[in-house]
Amino acid sequence: METRQMRCIVAIAEAGSLTRAAENLGLAQPALTQMLNRLESEVGTKLFTRTRRGATLTEAGLAIVDDLRASLAYGDAAAERVRAMGAGRAGRLTIGFVTHAVYEVLPRALRRLREAYPQLDISLREMSNAEQVEALEGGRIDIALLHPPVAVNARVHEKRLGEELLVAAVPASHQIGADGCVSLADIAAHGLVWFPSLQMSALRTQVLAAFRAAGHEVRIVQDANRTLTVLSCVAAGLGWSLLPSSVRALRHEGVRYAEVRDGAGLPPFELAAMWLARSRPAFADAFAEMLAA
């Protein structure tokens, strides 16, 4: 059944009259009548009972009219989507992100993105640094929100989104100093729960170097590839950790946060956006601008 025929049947059903339906469709009534006669002949059954009072759906007509409405709605939505994509208003954007991005940067930018492109399909994937690099290189995500520095074997744009000081995550049962701080020696004594070397190798090296420069050797007692996993390990007493200060927004039972009294030499925890460099602007470019705003 052609789209034009479906529209005519729905119009007749809603108007209850061929005359009114023809007026609504902008057709001559004889043309609408001929179309209906041909269609009923093709399907082998009457779709309407026609009287002087108007036209009412037969059992066969009632059986299909809702399906016809749904088909027309799907078709109209698809056509609008094509028009929107042609005009650059719709499409798909797949965003990879580390947990740290959830605290402030990502929600704020997503609100702006939805306002600017209400028809855009957005796919969100929480991933580690290493997973995002691999997905970006393979084209499985369009933009990555991760912790630099990282090496990407593809031509990418990069935008730094800010940096934070590291704070200590310690078991809630531990009594800290009156100043609310802990020291690098305290952390070294309990061992460090941190992200695997393959995930943030450069930052991990910088953190360990800061301990050595302060005269302390710290041992990584537990690898954990997600922030929530790190906090769970700390709560379980497996060790202490160092996380960006915005982690304070993430309350976790059994964990408390404290500044590092002598942590001036610790590296900052940075967040950056990386996206594939393309020959013409894409949604990733627009989203990167919203992230930095």
Side-chain angles (χ1 to χ4, degrees):
M1 193 178 295
E2 298 176 357
T3 300
R4 181 176 61 86
Q5 294 171 319
M6 290 191 287
R7 290 194 188 281
C8 290
I9 293 171
V10 171
I12 297 169
E14 292 177 349
S17 161
L18 269 73
T19 301
R20 287 192 295 273
E23 292 174 355
N24 295 337
L25 292 168
L27 299 174
Q29 181 179 335
L32 181 59
T33 301
Q34 291 175 10
M35 185 282 300
L36 179 58
N37 289 338
R38 285 196 302 271
L39 180 59
E40 289 179 329
S41 177
E42 290 172 5
V43 299
T45 188
K46 292 290 185 181
L47 300 177
F48 291 93
T49 300
R50 285 173 268 180
T51 67
R52 292 182 178 181
R53 294 183 178 181
T56 57
L57 287 163
T58 63
E59 289 295 321
L62 286 169
I64 67 168
V65 69
D66 287 338
D67 290 337
L68 296 182
R69 288 191 178 101
S71 296
L72 289 171
Y74 286 135
D76 290 344
E80 172 55 28
R81 184 165 184 78
V82 169
R83 287 191 291 270
M85 292 182 72
R89 302 193 313 271
R92 185 176 182 84
L93 180 68
T94 303
I95 303 167
F97 62 94
V98 291
T99 306
H100 175 52
V102 174
Y103 303 142
E104 294 181 4
V105 173
L106 185 59
R108 183 175 62 240
L110 284 175
R111 284 194 296 270
R112 292 170 178 157
L113 184 66
R114 179 58 69 201
E115 290 170 359
Y117 302 101
Q119 299 182 71
L120 181 66
D121 283 340
I122 303 169
S123 177
L124 299 172
R125 299 183 185 176
E126 184 177 1
M127 311 169 80
S128 70
N129 254 34
E131 290 168 342
Q132 288 192 74
V133 169
E134 184 180 352
L136 195 61
E137 292 173 344
R140 295 189 298 278
I141 60 174
D142 300 303
I143 188 167
L145 305 183
L146 43 66
H147 300 299
V150 295
V152 182
N153 293 321
R155 196 164 64 90
V156 297
H157 297 301
E158 180 176 353
K159 187 182 292 290
R160 297 297 172 106
L161 302 176
E163 61 182 40
E164 297 181 42
L165 297 177
L166 291 172
V167 298
V170 307
S173 58
H174 182 82
Q175 297 299 315
I176 60 177
D179 60 356
C181 300
V182 297
S183 67
L184 292 174
D186 294 331
I187 300 171
H190 290 85
L192 198 60
V193 177
W194 228 65
F195 304 99
S197 181
L198 290 177
Q199 187 168 323
M200 285 190 285
S201 58
L203 189 57
R204 179 171 166 140
T205 298
Q206 293 169 4
V207 167
L208 297 180
F211 275 90
R212 285 194 295 271
H216 309 290
E217 284 295 331
V218 63
R219 187 168 62 93
I220 306 292
V221 294
Q222 180 66 54
D223 285 341
N225 66 350
R226 292 288 192 276
T227 300
L228 285 175
T229 308
V230 170
L231 293 175
S232 295
C233 290
V234 171
L238 300 186
W240 293 14
S241 189
L242 290 167
L243 294 168
S245 57
S246 60
V247 76
R248 295 178 188 273
L250 190 62
R251 299 188 180 278
H252 194 288
E253 186 176 354
V255 176
R256 66 192 304 178
Y257 304 108
E259 293 184 13
V260 183
R261 188 180 301 111
D262 52 349
L266 290 170
F269 212 76
E270 293 186 274
L271 184 68
M274 288 187 179
W275 65 103
L276 296 176
R278 302 189 183 278
S279 57
R280 63 177 185 175
F283 289 114
D285 297 272
F287 186 58
E289 293 300 320
M290 296 172 186
L291 286 164

